[in-house]
Amino acid sequence: MKIGFIGTGNMGGPIIRTLSEVDDITIYGLNQTRSKLEKLAQETDLIPCENVQELTEKADFIVLAVKPQQADGIWPEMIPALTKDKCLISIAAGLTLKSLKNSTQNICPVVRAMPNTPVLIKEGVTAICLDDETISEQQKKFIQDVFQNLGDVHILPESQFDVFTALIGSGPAYIFYLIETMIESGVELGLHRDVSSRMVKKLFRGASLMAEQSKEHVSMIKEMSIAPAGTTIAALAHFDRTAIRGNIMDAIRMAYNRSIELG
């Protein structure tokens, strides 16, 4: 299969690096900054293209990996080279299936995909929308195989993409925020920053693996750390009195509402 990336930056680049390790895939790329494209080509099997039309003509699958506001300038070059046998995969946040189909004049099947940032280390979670009825079974399999190289893949209807965006797409930033906050707490209480950083990062890794591997509900795992009148229950009680759980849920709902607005 031949896959082309329009945009080889923060998200497109790491995906290309991973796919370059996979046999039987030819990768084409296009980027506004030519020097970055050529550097990536030297490090991988990427074949640089001169323009959108050339990339579209050569690729079976075209990955739109640019900012949503940049997409409008791409369609005029892409449309002349599109055929019904090609497939557009958009990882541009906020561009709906309807808008993508309209922009490409319904010439080819369209897929929405949303990977989160841990795909950079092959530990990502990606949502894929296969609602377009014109997608062939062969195309569906290839797309799922591509993103399974980057972590877990979930097939979701487009109606659930805003939920996925708010919870999982934005989720790594929430976790990094908590990690940063706990590191700062350790520093405030007397730990050296590098020591606090190593400890907290290991804490999150260990707790995450424990939650993933356990057959128990996460609430039951939490109870293992709680003793009557102890330190843990004192902190958790403060969380409850100050509505931390509610605030987190409200924040995720705000991200959800914003995702709807962007769409």
Side-chain angles (χ1 to χ4, degrees):
M1 288 291 184
K2 300 174 183 178
I3 185 167
F5 286 78
I6 301 175
T8 61
N10 292 338
M11 193 59 75
I15 296 175
I16 290 167
R17 292 180 191 279
T18 298
L19 292 184
S20 67
E21 302 171 2
V22 180
D23 294 333
D24 301 325
I25 295 180
T26 302
I27 306 171
Y28 299 97
L30 181 67
N31 198 66
Q32 285 186 329
T33 307
R34 187 72 185 184
S35 59
K36 290 182 179 180
L37 181 66
E38 291 175 351
K39 183 175 185 296
L40 186 61
Q42 291 172 357
E43 298 169 352
T44 66
D45 295 330
L46 171 79
I47 302 171
C49 291
E50 294 297 327
N51 52 57
V52 172
Q53 184 167 342
E54 179 193 353
L55 182 142
T56 305
E57 288 173 349
K58 290 181 175 179
D60 302 309
F61 295 83
I62 302 100
V63 180
L64 186 67
V66 299
K67 294 180 175 62
Q69 59 269 28
Q70 296 175 317
D72 285 343
I74 289 170
W75 310 128
E77 285 190 69
M78 180 184 290
I79 288 171
L82 282 178
T83 68
K84 62 181 179 61
D85 298 320
K86 296 182 183 293
C87 183
L88 175 67
I89 305 169
S90 172
I91 63 173
L95 296 183
T96 65
L97 204 61
K98 181 179 179 180
S99 69
L100 290 165
K101 292 289 284 185
N102 289 338
S103 296
T104 54
Q105 299 181 0
N106 290 293
I107 295 173
C108 70
V110 173
V111 172
R112 283 189 68 184
M114 177 162 291
N116 67 355
T117 52
V119 299
L120 307 185
I121 58 167
K122 303 180 186 179
E123 291 289 344
V125 183
T126 301
I128 298 176
C129 173
L130 301 175
D131 288 359
D132 188 340
E133 295 178 354
T134 64
I135 306 169
S136 70
E137 292 302 316
Q138 183 184 22
Q139 288 170 331
K140 289 179 182 179
K141 183 180 185 307
F142 177 78
I143 292 164
Q144 291 178 67
D145 288 346
V146 164
F147 286 101
Q148 280 171 349
N149 286 293
L150 306 167
D152 289 352
V153 173
H154 296 267
I155 308 301
L156 295 179
E158 188 174 35
S159 60
Q160 294 182 355
F161 257 53
D162 291 317
V163 177
F164 181 88
T165 299
L167 187 64
I168 307 300
S170 299
Y174 310 154
I175 303 302
F176 298 145
Y177 181 89
L178 291 173
I179 292 173
E180 180 185 45
T181 300
M182 292 184 69
I183 291 171
E184 293 302 309
S185 294
V187 174
E188 181 193 14
L189 295 172
L191 291 176
H192 289 292
R193 184 172 298 279
D194 61 336
V195 174
S196 182
S197 179
R198 289 199 306 273
M199 287 180 174
V200 172
K201 290 174 184 176
K202 185 64 174 180
L203 164 67
F204 272 78
R205 176 177 172 81
S208 178
L209 288 172
M210 194 172 175
E212 184 176 357
Q213 295 172 9
S214 176
K215 295 180 181 179
E216 299 285 350
H217 189 278
V218 68
S219 296
M220 298 304 297
I221 306 173
K222 181 188 70 175
E223 290 296 316
M224 294 171 59
S225 300
I226 301 175
T231 58
T232 306
I233 193 61
L236 294 177
H238 179 73
F239 287 167
D240 287 343
R241 283 193 294 269
T242 55
I244 295 297
R245 184 190 297 259
N247 281 328
I248 292 173
M249 294 175 74
D250 286 347
I252 293 172
R253 180 166 289 277
M254 291 180 73
Y256 169 75
N257 291 338
R258 181 58 178 156
S259 181
I260 293 173
E261 291 173 3
L262 291 173

